[in-house]
């Protein structure tokens, strides 16, 4: 997993196909979600004016992760990592509803553009 996460494997849309096809039996869903978040963060600008249509479906996929404590914590951390890509209040509200860790949920109160001014990062 460390080798896969260390560098770009493929563009996001191709990576989705690889993870559902060729890598399907080798990588669990939690790891797939991590790889997809990593790639989306590589491809998309932070603090966008308009949200990429792939962000919310990925958040929904991550939100389906459940199980032991570490899986739930990982789920919430991956949802948190998507925050810089959010531009729509509806997406922020939905992601906030998927998060179960109180501290993370509390932090997801504002869109990135409301916290960071133009030109700042």
């Amino acid at each position: 997993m460390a080798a896969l996460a260390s560098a770009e494997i493929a563009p996001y849309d191709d990576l989705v196909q690889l993870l559902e096809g060729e890598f399907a039996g080798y990588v669990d869903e939690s790891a797939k979600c991590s790889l997809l978040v990593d790639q989306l963060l590589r491809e998309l600008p932070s603090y966008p004016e308009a949200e990429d249509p792939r962000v919310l479906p990925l958040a929904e996929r991550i939100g389906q992760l459940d199980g032991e404590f570490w899986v739930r914590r990982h789920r919430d951390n991956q949802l948190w990592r998507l925050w810089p890509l959010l531009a729509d209040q509806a997406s922020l509200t939905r992601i906030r509803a998927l998060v179960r860790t109180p501290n993370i949920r509390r932090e997801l109160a504002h869109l990135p553009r409301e916290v960071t001014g133009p030109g700042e990062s």
Side-chain angles (χ1 to χ4, degrees), residues 3-106:
L4 289 174
S6 66
E8 182 173 342
I9 299 167
Y12 181 86
D13 296 325
D14 295 339
L15 182 58
V16 170
Q17 291 178 352
L18 283 171
L19 293 173
E20 299 309 317
E22 192 173 328
F23 294 151
Y26 299 105
V27 183
D28 68 17
E29 185 63 15
S30 181
K32 288 177 186 179
C33 288
S34 292
L35 292 170
L36 291 169
V37 169
D38 289 345
Q39 187 57 35
L40 212 52
L41 288 167
R42 283 185 194 100
E43 289 183 18
L44 300 177
S46 295
Y47 317 109
E49 289 298 318
E51 193 170 292
D52 188 281
R54 300 173 292 182
V55 174
L56 193 53
L58 178 55
E60 293 288 352
R61 181 175 181 166
I62 295 166
Q64 296 298 312
L65 296 174
D66 199 14
E68 297 179 32
F69 174 79
W70 70 270
V71 175
R72 295 188 316 267
R73 182 56 56 108
H74 177 75
R75 174 198 61 219
D76 290 353
N77 286 332
Q78 294 308 308
L79 290 167
W80 168 252
R81 291 183 65 214
L82 291 175
W83 180 79
L85 305 178
L86 298 178
D88 297 329
Q89 185 62 44
S91 296
L92 177 64
T93 301
R94 179 62 184 139
I95 288 175
R96 193 166 189 262
L98 292 170
V99 170
R100 296 290 172 242
T101 304
N103 292 340
I104 294 175
R105 182 183 283 171
R106 193 172 18 255

Side-chain angles (χ1 to χ4, degrees), residues 46-47 116-121:
S46 295
Y47 317 109
T116 304
E120 298 175 6
S121 52

